[in-house]
Amino acid sequence: VRGCSRPPLTSSNHRRPPHVQARGLLAASISSDGEAKNAVTGLVAGHAYSLIDARKFTVKKKEVRLVQLRNPWGSFEWKGAWSDGSREWRENPKIKKLIRPAAEDDGSFWMEWGDFCRHFDGIDICNRSRGCVRPRTRLHAPSPGPEPSLNLP
């Protein structure tokens, strides 16, 4: 997906961008005319999710890129790969030990970066001391492009 190659928590030179250094708030969303729950994915369109963390791991020479989000409702969570209780946690005990995910219906969940890019289409970035620095960052360009990538330090 063009435009979704680098998450807002990183920059191309592997340094944390200014909005992360300033402890800015990041929110991810799925465009919609109104709030719409998707019972299959566990995601809500037309709704903002806090973007909490992003991590990169190498497992058997394969890169695993994860982002952590939180639904402010405190419930209704992602049901795909890396969701609470999914097989990915059992198959990757070292990652589970490092992240220590809470398998609770608390609104907080992890998802793979590629899934994030497929489902979410915008990120709002707000520097708490200066207001919104980039009110809306588009994740998707009109035409398809290379696979998403995550560049973390």
Side-chain angles (χ1 to χ4, degrees):
V1 177
R2 190 172 299 156
C4 197
S5 63
R6 188 175 61 242
L9 299 176
T10 65
S11 64
S12 59
N13 61 5
H14 301 285
R15 293 179 50 198
R16 298 237 183 237
H19 58 273
V20 174
Q21 291 176 15
R23 302 174 84 61
L25 303 174
L26 287 84
S29 59
I30 303 166
S31 295
S32 177
D33 290 334
E35 286 189 342
K37 287 183 178 181
N38 183 325
V40 175
T41 64
L43 300 174
V44 183
H47 181 68
Y49 289 82
S50 301
L51 186 51
I52 300 170
D53 199 355
R55 304 274 186 100
K56 178 176 75 172
F57 303 93
T58 302
V59 178
K60 297 178 185 174
K61 298 183 181 181
K62 182 182 175 199
E63 195 172 80
V64 176
R65 300 162 299 166
L66 302 174
V67 291
Q68 184 184 25
L69 295 110
R70 184 176 186 280
N71 180 341
W73 290 348
S75 63
F76 205 74
E77 300 177 5
W78 167 245
K79 295 179 180 174
W82 297 98
S83 62
D84 291 355
S86 71
R87 67 177 172 78
E88 288 79 11
W89 296 113
R90 291 186 300 279
E91 293 171 356
N92 296 279
K94 290 181 181 180
I95 293 176
K96 183 176 182 177
K97 185 177 179 180
L98 290 168
I99 290 181
R100 298 184 308 159
E104 300 172 4
D105 188 22
D106 58 359
S108 179
F109 59 90
W110 289 87
M111 71 189 312
E112 197 273 327
W113 177 246
D115 285 335
F116 176 84
C117 289
R118 279 185 282 284
H119 292 281
F120 289 85
D121 58 13
I123 296 176
D124 294 299
I125 303 168
C126 184
N127 180 325
R128 292 182 291 180
S129 64
R130 292 187 247 150
C132 289
V133 290
R134 281 194 274 171
R136 186 82 172 151
T137 299
R138 288 184 51 196
L139 290 177
H140 303 283
S143 60
E147 279 294 312
S149 65
L150 179 63
N151 302 315
L152 290 177

